[in-house]
Amino acid sequence: MTATQPTSIHALELGPMENFIYLIEDRASGRAAVVDPAWDVPEVLKLADEHGVRITDILLTHSHQDHINGIEAVLQEYDAQLHLLKDEARFWGSYLDLPTLHHGGDRIELGDTQIEVLHTPGHTPGSACYRVGDRLITGDTLFVFGCGRCDLRGGDPEQMYVTLKGMVERLPKDIVILPGHNYAVKPTSTLEEQLEGNPFLHFDQLDRFVEYRMHYHDRHRDAPYGPVCPGHEMP
Ligand SMILES: [Fe+2]
């Protein structure tokens, strides 16, 4: 990232579930958006202070507790606008004080920075990814060498299959994936690298994907996700 680019994205790994919290900084306006504020909000606020930005927006990839438990603490410091997808608000069912509800394809303007909202259901009905130029914040939809669980309430492995296929079709191969958890051997990756080594991108049959997602693939804390060759370790 060079100083001439209008946007910086800073990452913090916080909490017992290895969540990544991202701060999107628009340099010209001094505005920032925090994605999935959770766990240690003082660290998020400190990061904003260090960069001399004010948090004007909160973006949610989805409504699971480990991604939202810092919203109120941020709102105590900043009068920020909350963004999430309409489908996720309906699924969450929580009282929200005047959020902005989006549909896939919407754009959020953060000063000179354009943030594109992608609707990526599967982990939850209203899961979102946020695209900022050549970077994609993927929440619990696409992990580095993994993807989000589909066995929790609101999860749907068939939707996840369609979502991942659509992402592969529509996104440039050099886009950088910024996931919602630090579950892998490396914190970020490109879509191109994921096409090589992410087992969830290797399926061409829905039923086999569902079987693998629901019954085969699991995560172990002592074994971070790494690349898997097609045909290897697959049912
Ligand atoms: Fe989640």
Side-chain angles (χ1 to χ4, degrees):
M1 162 123 252
T2 66
T4 55
Q5 287 188 279
T7 313
S8 298
I9 301 181
H10 313 283
L12 285 173
E13 185 192 332
L14 298 174
M17 298 170 73
E18 300 155 281
N19 284 77
F20 277 129
I21 285 81
Y22 296 101
L23 189 73
I24 305 171
E25 172 191 358
D26 180 70
R27 290 168 181 270
S29 65
R31 288 176 59 182
V34 59
V35 183
D36 292 353
W39 301 112
D40 191 348
V41 170
E43 279 298 309
V44 178
L45 301 178
K46 193 171 102 188
L47 184 65
D49 282 348
E50 283 168 3
H51 291 278
V53 293
R54 66 186 194 287
I55 296 171
T56 58
D57 298 81
I58 297 170
L59 276 51
L60 302 184
T61 63
H62 65 298
S63 59
H64 284 162
Q65 273 301 318
D66 58 310
H67 295 257
I68 64 167
N69 65 29
I71 292 175
E72 287 183 8
V74 173
L75 291 175
Q76 281 172 12
E77 289 295 319
Y78 290 102
D79 188 17
Q81 183 67 48
L82 183 64
H83 301 264
L84 71 160
L85 281 176
K86 191 173 183 182
D87 285 350
E88 191 68 5
R90 193 181 300 130
F91 166 66
W92 188 5
S94 171
Y95 171 75
L96 296 165
D97 191 17
L98 295 179
T100 302
L101 301 180
H102 294 278
H103 297 277
D106 285 0
R107 283 175 191 276
I108 298 167
E109 290 193 359
L110 182 76
D112 291 345
T113 300
Q114 295 270 334
I115 303 169
E116 186 186 345
V117 184
L118 282 68
H119 183 202
T120 55
H123 181 62
T124 63
S127 278
C129 295
Y130 296 102
R131 182 176 179 180
V132 187
D134 60 0
R135 286 163 289 180
L136 186 71
I137 295 171
T138 56
D140 287 3
T141 295
L142 181 61
F143 294 132
V144 176
F145 304 122
C147 83
R149 293 171 61 172
C150 301
D151 58 331
L152 304 171
R153 189 177 74 85
D156 184 334
E158 297 190 8
Q159 281 191 325
M160 181 66 91
Y161 178 81
V162 173
T163 284
L164 295 179
K165 286 278 180 216
M167 290 170 74
V168 169
E169 246 169 53
R170 289 179 205 115
L171 293 167
K173 302 296 171 269
D174 60 352
I175 201 163
V176 175
I177 306 299
L178 303 176
H181 291 270
N182 190 14
Y183 284 164
V185 292
K186 56 198 291 192
T188 69
S189 179
T190 60
L191 183 56
E192 186 169 34
E193 186 180 40
Q194 292 309 296
L195 284 167
E196 289 283 316
N198 188 321
F200 293 100
L201 303 184
H202 293 160
F203 288 92
D204 282 319
Q205 288 176 281
L206 172 65
D207 56 343
R208 294 190 68 202
F209 175 90
V210 171
E211 170 76 12
Y212 185 70
R213 174 61 280 176
M214 300 301 272
H215 303 297
Y216 190 81
H217 192 268
D218 206 355
R219 192 177 74 85
H220 303 285
R221 197 166 271 270
D222 54 352
Y225 294 158
V228 174
C229 295
H232 195 67
E233 280 188 38
M234 315 251 284

Short mmCIF file of all heavy atoms in Angstrom, two decimals, residues 156-195:
data_model
loop_
_atom_site.label_atom_id
_atom_site.label_comp_id
_atom_site.label_asym_id
_atom_site.label_seq_id
_atom_site.Cartn_x
_atom_site.Cartn_y
_atom_site.Cartn_z
N ASP A 156 -26.72 -22.34 5.95
CA ASP A 156 -27.29 -23.11 4.84
C ASP A 156 -26.15 -23.47 3.88
O ASP A 156 -25.66 -22.60 3.13
CB ASP A 156 -28.36 -22.28 4.12
CG ASP A 156 -29.05 -23.07 3.01
OD1 ASP A 156 -28.42 -24.00 2.45
OD2 ASP A 156 -30.20 -22.73 2.69
N PRO A 157 -25.71 -24.75 3.89
CA PRO A 157 -24.57 -25.11 3.05
C PRO A 157 -24.86 -24.99 1.55
O PRO A 157 -23.94 -24.76 0.77
CB PRO A 157 -24.27 -26.56 3.46
CG PRO A 157 -25.56 -27.07 4.04
CD PRO A 157 -26.22 -25.88 4.68
N GLU A 158 -26.13 -25.16 1.18
CA GLU A 158 -26.45 -25.02 -0.26
C GLU A 158 -26.27 -23.57 -0.69
O GLU A 158 -25.76 -23.27 -1.78
CB GLU A 158 -27.87 -25.51 -0.54
CG GLU A 158 -28.02 -27.00 -0.24
CD GLU A 158 -29.33 -27.59 -0.73
OE1 GLU A 158 -30.07 -26.89 -1.45
OE2 GLU A 158 -29.60 -28.76 -0.40
N GLN A 159 -26.69 -22.66 0.18
CA GLN A 159 -26.47 -21.23 -0.14
C GLN A 159 -24.98 -20.92 -0.17
O GLN A 159 -24.52 -20.14 -1.00
CB GLN A 159 -27.15 -20.35 0.92
CG GLN A 159 -28.64 -20.20 0.71
CD GLN A 159 -29.21 -19.13 1.62
OE1 GLN A 159 -28.77 -18.94 2.75
NE2 GLN A 159 -30.19 -18.41 1.12
N MET A 160 -24.23 -21.50 0.75
CA MET A 160 -22.79 -21.24 0.78
C MET A 160 -22.14 -21.69 -0.53
O MET A 160 -21.27 -20.99 -1.08
CB MET A 160 -22.14 -21.95 1.97
CG MET A 160 -20.65 -21.73 2.10
SD MET A 160 -20.20 -20.00 2.47
CE MET A 160 -20.19 -20.04 4.27
N TYR A 161 -22.55 -22.83 -1.04
CA TYR A 161 -22.01 -23.33 -2.32
C TYR A 161 -22.26 -22.31 -3.43
O TYR A 161 -21.34 -21.95 -4.18
CB TYR A 161 -22.69 -24.67 -2.64
CG TYR A 161 -22.28 -25.29 -3.95
CD1 TYR A 161 -21.10 -26.02 -4.05
CD2 TYR A 161 -23.09 -25.18 -5.08
CE1 TYR A 161 -20.73 -26.62 -5.26
CE2 TYR A 161 -22.72 -25.77 -6.28
CZ TYR A 161 -21.54 -26.49 -6.37
OH TYR A 161 -21.18 -27.08 -7.56
N VAL A 162 -23.49 -21.83 -3.52
CA VAL A 162 -23.83 -20.86 -4.56
C VAL A 162 -23.07 -19.55 -4.35
O VAL A 162 -22.56 -18.94 -5.30
CB VAL A 162 -25.36 -20.61 -4.58
CG1 VAL A 162 -25.73 -19.49 -5.54
CG2 VAL A 162 -26.10 -21.90 -4.93
N THR A 163 -22.97 -19.13 -3.09
CA THR A 163 -22.24 -17.89 -2.77
C THR A 163 -20.78 -17.98 -3.22
O THR A 163 -20.26 -17.08 -3.88
CB THR A 163 -22.30 -17.62 -1.25
OG1 THR A 163 -23.60 -17.11 -0.93
CG2 THR A 163 -21.26 -16.62 -0.81
N LEU A 164 -20.11 -19.08 -2.86
CA LEU A 164 -18.69 -19.20 -3.20
C LEU A 164 -18.49 -19.29 -4.71
O LEU A 164 -17.56 -18.69 -5.26
CB LEU A 164 -18.07 -20.41 -2.48
CG LEU A 164 -18.05 -20.33 -0.95
CD1 LEU A 164 -17.45 -21.60 -0.35
CD2 LEU A 164 -17.27 -19.11 -0.45
N LYS A 165 -19.38 -20.02 -5.39
CA LYS A 165 -19.30 -20.09 -6.85
C LYS A 165 -19.42 -18.68 -7.46
O LYS A 165 -18.70 -18.32 -8.39
CB LYS A 165 -20.42 -20.97 -7.42
CG LYS A 165 -20.23 -22.44 -7.19
CD LYS A 165 -19.29 -23.03 -8.24
CE LYS A 165 -19.08 -24.52 -8.00
NZ LYS A 165 -17.72 -24.95 -8.32
N GLY A 166 -20.37 -17.91 -6.94
CA GLY A 166 -20.59 -16.56 -7.46
C GLY A 166 -19.39 -15.65 -7.21
O GLY A 166 -19.02 -14.84 -8.08
N MET A 167 -18.77 -15.80 -6.06
CA MET A 167 -17.59 -14.98 -5.76
C MET A 167 -16.46 -15.31 -6.72
O MET A 167 -15.78 -14.42 -7.24
CB MET A 167 -17.16 -15.19 -4.30
CG MET A 167 -18.15 -14.60 -3.30
SD MET A 167 -17.82 -15.09 -1.59
CE MET A 167 -16.37 -14.09 -1.23
N VAL A 168 -16.26 -16.59 -6.97
CA VAL A 168 -15.18 -17.01 -7.88
C VAL A 168 -15.45 -16.48 -9.30
O VAL A 168 -14.54 -16.04 -10.00
CB VAL A 168 -15.05 -18.54 -7.88
CG1 VAL A 168 -14.16 -19.02 -9.01
CG2 VAL A 168 -14.54 -19.03 -6.53
N GLU A 169 -16.71 -16.51 -9.70
CA GLU A 169 -17.07 -16.06 -11.03
C GLU A 169 -16.88 -14.56 -11.21
O GLU A 169 -16.42 -14.10 -12.24
CB GLU A 169 -18.56 -16.35 -11.27
CG GLU A 169 -18.85 -17.37 -12.34
CD GLU A 169 -20.31 -17.76 -12.30
OE1 GLU A 169 -21.17 -16.85 -12.34
OE2 GLU A 169 -20.58 -18.97 -12.18
N ARG A 170 -17.25 -13.80 -10.19
CA ARG A 170 -17.36 -12.35 -10.38
C ARG A 170 -16.16 -11.55 -9.90
O ARG A 170 -15.99 -10.41 -10.32
CB ARG A 170 -18.61 -11.84 -9.63
CG ARG A 170 -19.86 -12.29 -10.32
CD ARG A 170 -21.13 -11.84 -9.61
NE ARG A 170 -22.20 -12.76 -9.96
CZ ARG A 170 -22.82 -13.57 -9.12
NH1 ARG A 170 -22.50 -13.55 -7.85
NH2 ARG A 170 -23.76 -14.39 -9.53
N LEU A 171 -15.36 -12.11 -9.02
CA LEU A 171 -14.28 -11.30 -8.44
C LEU A 171 -12.97 -11.52 -9.19
O LEU A 171 -12.70 -12.62 -9.67
CB LEU A 171 -14.09 -11.69 -6.96
CG LEU A 171 -15.26 -11.32 -6.05
CD1 LEU A 171 -15.12 -12.02 -4.69
CD2 LEU A 171 -15.34 -9.80 -5.85
N PRO A 172 -12.13 -10.48 -9.26
CA PRO A 172 -10.83 -10.66 -9.90
C PRO A 172 -9.95 -11.59 -9.09
O PRO A 172 -10.04 -11.63 -7.86
CB PRO A 172 -10.25 -9.24 -9.93
CG PRO A 172 -10.98 -8.49 -8.87
CD PRO A 172 -12.34 -9.12 -8.75
N LYS A 173 -9.12 -12.34 -9.79
CA LYS A 173 -8.31 -13.36 -9.11
C LYS A 173 -7.26 -12.76 -8.17
O LYS A 173 -6.79 -13.42 -7.25
CB LYS A 173 -7.62 -14.26 -10.16
CG LYS A 173 -8.58 -14.95 -11.12
CD LYS A 173 -9.50 -15.93 -10.40
CE LYS A 173 -10.60 -16.47 -11.30
NZ LYS A 173 -11.85 -15.70 -11.28
N ASP A 174 -6.89 -11.52 -8.41
CA ASP A 174 -5.85 -10.94 -7.56
C ASP A 174 -6.42 -10.19 -6.35
O ASP A 174 -5.69 -9.53 -5.61
CB ASP A 174 -4.92 -10.02 -8.37
CG ASP A 174 -5.68 -8.86 -9.02
OD1 ASP A 174 -6.93 -8.85 -8.97
OD2 ASP A 174 -5.01 -7.97 -9.58
N ILE A 175 -7.73 -10.30 -6.14
CA ILE A 175 -8.31 -9.61 -4.99
C ILE A 175 -7.77 -10.24 -3.70
O ILE A 175 -7.56 -11.46 -3.64
CB ILE A 175 -9.86 -9.63 -5.04
CG1 ILE A 175 -10.44 -8.52 -4.17
CG2 ILE A 175 -10.42 -10.99 -4.65
CD1 ILE A 175 -11.90 -8.19 -4.47
N VAL A 176 -7.54 -9.40 -2.70
CA VAL A 176 -6.97 -9.88 -1.44
C VAL A 176 -8.09 -10.16 -0.45
O VAL A 176 -8.96 -9.31 -0.22
CB VAL A 176 -5.98 -8.84 -0.86
CG1 VAL A 176 -5.48 -9.28 0.51
CG2 VAL A 176 -4.81 -8.64 -1.82
N ILE A 177 -8.08 -11.36 0.10
CA ILE A 177 -9.10 -11.80 1.04
C ILE A 177 -8.69 -11.40 2.46
O ILE A 177 -7.60 -11.75 2.92
CB ILE A 177 -9.23 -13.35 1.00
CG1 ILE A 177 -9.46 -13.86 -0.42
CG2 ILE A 177 -10.28 -13.86 1.98
CD1 ILE A 177 -10.70 -13.37 -1.07
N LEU A 178 -9.57 -10.67 3.16
CA LEU A 178 -9.34 -10.31 4.55
C LEU A 178 -10.44 -10.98 5.38
O LEU A 178 -11.57 -10.50 5.46
CB LEU A 178 -9.39 -8.79 4.73
CG LEU A 178 -8.41 -7.97 3.86
CD1 LEU A 178 -8.64 -6.47 4.08
CD2 LEU A 178 -6.98 -8.33 4.19
N PRO A 179 -10.14 -12.12 6.00
CA PRO A 179 -11.19 -12.93 6.63
C PRO A 179 -11.56 -12.44 8.03
O PRO A 179 -10.88 -11.60 8.61
CB PRO A 179 -10.53 -14.31 6.71
CG PRO A 179 -9.08 -13.99 6.91
CD PRO A 179 -8.81 -12.75 6.10
N GLY A 180 -12.63 -13.03 8.58
CA GLY A 180 -13.13 -12.62 9.90
C GLY A 180 -12.43 -13.28 11.07
O GLY A 180 -12.64 -12.89 12.21
N HIS A 181 -11.64 -14.31 10.79
CA HIS A 181 -10.89 -14.99 11.86
C HIS A 181 -9.49 -15.35 11.37
O HIS A 181 -9.30 -15.63 10.18
CB HIS A 181 -11.60 -16.29 12.29
CG HIS A 181 -12.89 -16.09 13.00
ND1 HIS A 181 -12.99 -15.96 14.37
CD2 HIS A 181 -14.16 -15.98 12.52
CE1 HIS A 181 -14.27 -15.80 14.71
NE2 HIS A 181 -15.01 -15.81 13.60
N ASN A 182 -8.58 -15.40 12.31
CA ASN A 182 -7.21 -15.81 11.98
C ASN A 182 -7.08 -17.32 12.18
O ASN A 182 -6.46 -17.77 13.13
CB ASN A 182 -6.22 -15.06 12.87
CG ASN A 182 -4.78 -15.26 12.42
OD1 ASN A 182 -4.53 -15.74 11.32
ND2 ASN A 182 -3.84 -14.91 13.27
N TYR A 183 -7.70 -18.08 11.31
CA TYR A 183 -7.78 -19.53 11.47
C TYR A 183 -6.74 -20.28 10.64
O TYR A 183 -6.68 -21.51 10.72
CB TYR A 183 -9.15 -20.03 11.00
CG TYR A 183 -10.30 -19.79 11.94
CD1 TYR A 183 -11.61 -19.90 11.47
CD2 TYR A 183 -10.11 -19.48 13.29
CE1 TYR A 183 -12.69 -19.71 12.32
CE2 TYR A 183 -11.19 -19.28 14.13
CZ TYR A 183 -12.48 -19.40 13.64
OH TYR A 183 -13.55 -19.21 14.48
N ALA A 184 -5.97 -19.59 9.85
CA ALA A 184 -5.14 -20.29 8.85
C ALA A 184 -3.66 -20.08 9.11
O ALA A 184 -3.25 -19.40 10.04
CB ALA A 184 -5.51 -19.81 7.45
N VAL A 185 -2.88 -20.68 8.25
CA VAL A 185 -1.43 -20.57 8.36
C VAL A 185 -0.93 -19.17 8.01
O VAL A 185 0.22 -18.84 8.28
CB VAL A 185 -0.73 -21.61 7.46
CG1 VAL A 185 -0.97 -23.02 7.98
CG2 VAL A 185 -1.21 -21.48 6.01
N LYS A 186 -1.79 -18.36 7.42
CA LYS A 186 -1.44 -16.98 7.10
C LYS A 186 -2.70 -16.12 7.24
O LYS A 186 -3.81 -16.63 7.07
CB LYS A 186 -0.84 -16.88 5.70
CG LYS A 186 -1.73 -17.44 4.61
CD LYS A 186 -0.97 -17.74 3.33
CE LYS A 186 -0.53 -16.47 2.65
NZ LYS A 186 -0.04 -16.68 1.28
N PRO A 187 -2.54 -14.83 7.54
CA PRO A 187 -3.74 -14.01 7.84
C PRO A 187 -4.53 -13.57 6.63
O PRO A 187 -5.74 -13.32 6.74
CB PRO A 187 -3.15 -12.80 8.58
CG PRO A 187 -1.73 -12.71 8.13
CD PRO A 187 -1.29 -14.13 7.85
N THR A 188 -3.89 -13.45 5.47
CA THR A 188 -4.59 -13.00 4.26
C THR A 188 -4.13 -13.87 3.09
O THR A 188 -3.16 -14.61 3.20
CB THR A 188 -4.29 -11.52 3.91
OG1 THR A 188 -2.93 -11.42 3.48
CG2 THR A 188 -4.51 -10.61 5.10
N SER A 189 -4.83 -13.70 1.99
CA SER A 189 -4.49 -14.47 0.79
C SER A 189 -5.14 -13.79 -0.40
O SER A 189 -5.92 -12.86 -0.23
CB SER A 189 -5.02 -15.90 0.95
OG SER A 189 -4.74 -16.68 -0.20
N THR A 190 -4.82 -14.28 -1.59
CA THR A 190 -5.53 -13.81 -2.78
C THR A 190 -6.56 -14.87 -3.18
O THR A 190 -6.43 -16.04 -2.81
CB THR A 190 -4.58 -13.61 -3.96
OG1 THR A 190 -3.96 -14.87 -4.24
CG2 THR A 190 -3.54 -12.56 -3.65
N LEU A 191 -7.54 -14.45 -3.97
CA LEU A 191 -8.50 -15.41 -4.48
C LEU A 191 -7.79 -16.46 -5.33
O LEU A 191 -8.13 -17.65 -5.29
CB LEU A 191 -9.59 -14.68 -5.29
CG LEU A 191 -10.70 -15.57 -5.84
CD1 LEU A 191 -11.40 -16.36 -4.73
CD2 LEU A 191 -11.73 -14.72 -6.59
N GLU A 192 -6.79 -16.03 -6.07
CA GLU A 192 -6.03 -16.97 -6.91
C GLU A 192 -5.40 -18.08 -6.07
O GLU A 192 -5.50 -19.26 -6.40
CB GLU A 192 -4.93 -16.19 -7.65
CG GLU A 192 -4.19 -17.02 -8.65
CD GLU A 192 -3.31 -16.15 -9.54
OE1 GLU A 192 -2.79 -15.13 -9.05
OE2 GLU A 192 -3.18 -16.48 -10.72
N GLU A 193 -4.81 -17.69 -4.96
CA GLU A 193 -4.21 -18.69 -4.08
C GLU A 193 -5.29 -19.59 -3.47
O GLU A 193 -5.08 -20.80 -3.27
CB GLU A 193 -3.41 -18.00 -2.97
CG GLU A 193 -2.65 -18.96 -2.10
CD GLU A 193 -1.86 -18.27 -1.00
OE1 GLU A 193 -2.37 -17.29 -0.40
OE2 GLU A 193 -0.73 -18.70 -0.74
N GLN A 194 -6.44 -19.03 -3.19
CA GLN A 194 -7.54 -19.83 -2.64
C GLN A 194 -8.08 -20.82 -3.67
O GLN A 194 -8.48 -21.93 -3.32
CB GLN A 194 -8.65 -18.92 -2.12
CG GLN A 194 -8.23 -18.14 -0.89
CD GLN A 194 -7.63 -19.04 0.18
OE1 GLN A 194 -8.32 -19.91 0.72
NE2 GLN A 194 -6.35 -18.88 0.47
N LEU A 195 -8.08 -20.41 -4.92
CA LEU A 195 -8.54 -21.34 -5.96
C LEU A 195 -7.63 -22.56 -6.03
O LEU A 195 -8.06 -23.66 -6.35
CB LEU A 195 -8.58 -20.63 -7.32
CG LEU A 195 -9.76 -19.68 -7.49
CD1 LEU A 195 -9.57 -18.79 -8.71
CD2 LEU A 195 -11.06 -20.45 -7.60
#
